[in-house]
Amino acid sequence: FFDLFTDFSGYVEFFLLQDLVDGDKIRFFLPSDGFTRPASPLDVDSYEEYMNQSMAFVQARNERISRWATSHQRDKTATYSAT
């Protein structure tokens, strides 16, 4: 699968997931302890933390997608005709 993107960085760049990585480390929405705890929040406090981190990611990615779309728009003045 990653052959399509050359490497993990290419995958991250293609899908605009830069807000989920910090250098060569993945940013988790909850503290990670080596995958020994359940992936879902265990209590109200951890749920709120997960929710806040998720919403921050969604907002940051939406802004990144908007910037990407704006920089890749076709010339709005061009006219297109059906043939």
Side-chain angles (χ1 to χ4, degrees), residues 49-69:
E49 178 66 19
Y50 176 82
M51 183 181 65
N52 291 336
Q53 294 291 330
S54 296
M55 296 302 291
F57 165 70
V58 169
Q59 182 177 3
R61 185 159 185 257
N62 285 346
E63 291 171 6
R64 185 179 301 280
I65 290 169
S66 178
R67 287 191 307 270
W68 183 91

Side-chain angles (χ1 to χ4, degrees), residues 7-82:
D7 56 15
F8 184 68
S9 295
Y11 174 85
V12 168
E13 186 174 327
F14 182 83
F15 288 106
L16 304 173
L17 298 171
Q18 293 88 336
D19 299 296
L20 287 179
V21 294
D22 184 14
D24 61 347
K25 295 184 179 185
I26 296 173
R27 292 183 185 153
F28 293 97
F29 295 155
L30 292 172
S32 174
D33 61 356
F35 301 102
T36 59
R37 58 173 280 177
S40 58
L42 299 174
D43 55 31
V44 172
D45 290 337
S46 61
Y47 175 78
E48 287 178 354
E49 178 66 19
Y50 176 82
M51 183 181 65
N52 291 336
Q53 294 291 330
S54 296
M55 296 302 291
F57 165 70
V58 169
Q59 182 177 3
R61 185 159 185 257
N62 285 346
E63 291 171 6
R64 185 179 301 280
I65 290 169
S66 178
R67 287 191 307 270
W68 183 91
T70 299
S71 69
H72 288 81
Q73 282 182 341
R74 292 185 177 180
D75 184 347
K76 291 181 182 179
T77 62
T79 56
Y80 301 96
S81 60

